[in-house]
Amino acid sequence: MMLISERMKGKAVKRVTDDTRPPSTSYRETYRRHKTLFRVPVVLGAAIAAFILFTGSATYKSTASLWVDTAGTVESSIGANGSPVLNEPPASSEQGILTELLTTDSFADSVARSSVLGREFGSAAAIRKEAPKLIEHGQVTATPAGGQILNVSYTGATRGLVESVLGGILTQLRKYNDSLSAQHTASAIAYDREQIALDEKALATANNNLKAYVERHPGASKSDPNYLSLSSAQNTAVTELGQANTTLNQVTGTEDQGGWTIRVLDTPSPAASLAPSKKKMIGVILGGALAGMLASFLVVVAMTPAKEEQWEDELPLGHPTD
């Protein structure tokens, strides 16, 4: 049996090393002579690409749904007759807020501390450094499903991580929404109170001016131009003070309401494994095959002898040199 095997190996070696055919003169001829050999890199490249694609680390995704509407003291964005009352739907507005928050380290830090990431990272310095890498636009997506419904998804490496981080995102989104709105409201209240103080001072000044003029001119009629001017200034001060008080009352009425009210309709769904799409699979496998084709082409070029230029003394005798 071993003797037969050795004879077969000897014949194979002889076929390769003792090939009596002249060297290939073109790339096409080289390929035709060894086409089976040149097809191997193409198949191997596609196989390697498929192996990497299907044996790579799994990715999981969880999704939750939010209901976003105007504050309780304001008319609902749905409207009394079901027609929207705002130019921009609440869900789209909240989507923009989340997109902006995802650009900040502060939001990522807060999400990490309210999820399993906080325990995994351990120290505050590690959280501050690593959290923004795992909580960013590529992993967090927000898509309005209507005027008031916003779907938020998170993609990560493990099921538990994905569900926990998405829960942290929802919690912090609501907290940031309420906190930033409350800060805005507090600033507006402070401004309106300052404006009321100025208007009260202006009204007191107008009253004093009118009273002093009447005391200096006891016989002045109400048609007196100076009296009319001072009286008009007094009326204007009264109107402005009333408007300032109305504005302050409106602001303080929504002090604890925030800009939007957010309610979780669907809690984070069980994380599901994301299989590569058909388009991605085809693209990766074709990429591997193309890489194999390039390797085969380079081998063909290397195995095809270059044509040598003949010098005059090498040309056949009796033939012209031009």
Side-chain angles (χ1 to χ4, degrees):
M1 188 71 178
M2 293 181 62
L3 181 60
I4 295 175
S5 176
E6 292 297 329
R7 288 179 178 178
M8 292 179 66
K9 288 183 179 179
K11 291 181 179 179
V13 172
K14 182 175 181 59
R15 283 197 300 268
V16 174
T17 57
D18 297 343
D19 193 346
T20 58
R21 291 177 295 179
S24 302
T25 58
S26 67
Y27 297 142
R28 179 180 296 180
E29 185 178 354
T30 300
Y31 175 77
R32 286 177 176 175
R33 288 186 181 185
H34 310 284
K35 57 184 178 182
T36 302
L37 176 64
F38 294 142
R39 289 171 182 172
V40 172
V42 179
V43 176
L44 188 61
I48 292 175
F51 177 80
I52 295 174
L53 177 64
F54 292 109
T55 60
S57 57
T59 302
Y60 298 91
K61 181 179 181 180
S62 178
T63 303
S65 299
L66 302 176
W67 175 271
V68 187
D69 203 352
T70 51
T73 56
V74 183
E75 181 183 1
S76 173
S77 60
I78 300 177
N81 57 357
S83 59
V85 297
L86 301 174
N87 293 329
E88 183 180 27
S92 298
S93 179
E94 195 64 31
Q95 177 193 29
I97 293 174
L98 177 57
T99 300
E100 293 181 17
L101 288 175
L102 288 172
T103 64
T104 66
D105 292 345
S106 173
F107 184 74
D109 183 276
S110 299
V111 171
R113 292 177 185 275
S114 60
S115 66
V116 296
L117 289 178
R119 294 193 299 272
E120 290 184 4
F121 293 145
S123 65
I127 292 175
R128 193 74 176 177
K129 179 181 178 181
E130 300 297 334
K133 300 176 183 178
L134 296 178
I135 305 170
E136 56 185 4
H137 292 295
Q139 294 166 294
V140 183
T141 57
T143 307
Q148 288 73 33
I149 295 180
L150 179 66
N151 293 329
V152 183
S153 300
Y154 179 74
T155 304
T158 64
R159 297 180 188 274
L161 172 70
V162 167
E163 295 172 14
S164 177
V165 171
L166 180 56
I169 290 172
L170 301 184
T171 299
Q172 295 304 320
L173 177 61
R174 297 175 70 181
K175 286 185 176 180
Y176 269 74
N177 183 82
D178 294 342
S179 174
L180 295 174
S181 297
Q183 291 178 16
H184 178 272
T185 301
S187 298
I189 290 174
Y191 172 81
D192 290 336
R193 285 175 175 167
E194 291 178 359
Q195 190 63 44
I196 287 175
L198 293 175
D199 291 340
E200 287 176 343
K201 185 177 180 180
L203 178 57
T205 300
N207 289 336
N208 292 334
N209 290 339
L210 181 59
K211 182 179 179 181
Y213 183 81
V214 171
E215 290 177 351
R216 290 196 304 268
H217 304 83
S221 66
K222 293 185 178 180
S223 60
D224 185 319
N226 292 327
Y227 180 89
L228 289 174
S229 177
L230 293 172
S231 179
S232 175
Q234 181 190 48
N235 292 333
T236 299
V238 170
T239 301
E240 291 179 350
L241 178 60
Q243 292 175 346
N245 277 305
T246 300
T247 301
L248 178 60
N249 291 334
Q250 291 175 344
V251 174
T252 53
T254 60
E255 184 174 0
D256 297 325
Q257 298 298 328
W260 302 112
T261 55
I262 301 176
R263 184 162 62 94
V264 178
L265 292 181
D266 296 328
T267 57
S269 62
S273 177
L274 294 180
S277 63
K278 291 183 179 179
K279 184 177 181 181
K280 181 179 179 180
M281 288 189 291
I282 293 173
V284 171
I285 294 174
L286 285 179
L290 288 175
M293 290 177 63
L294 177 61
S296 294
F297 174 75
L298 294 177
V299 173
V300 169
V301 173
M303 294 181 65
T304 303
K307 293 182 180 180
E308 297 182 357
E309 184 178 355
Q310 290 182 312
W311 299 89
E312 286 190 17
D313 55 355
E314 295 177 344
L315 293 174
L317 297 176
H319 289 270
T321 59
D322 56 356

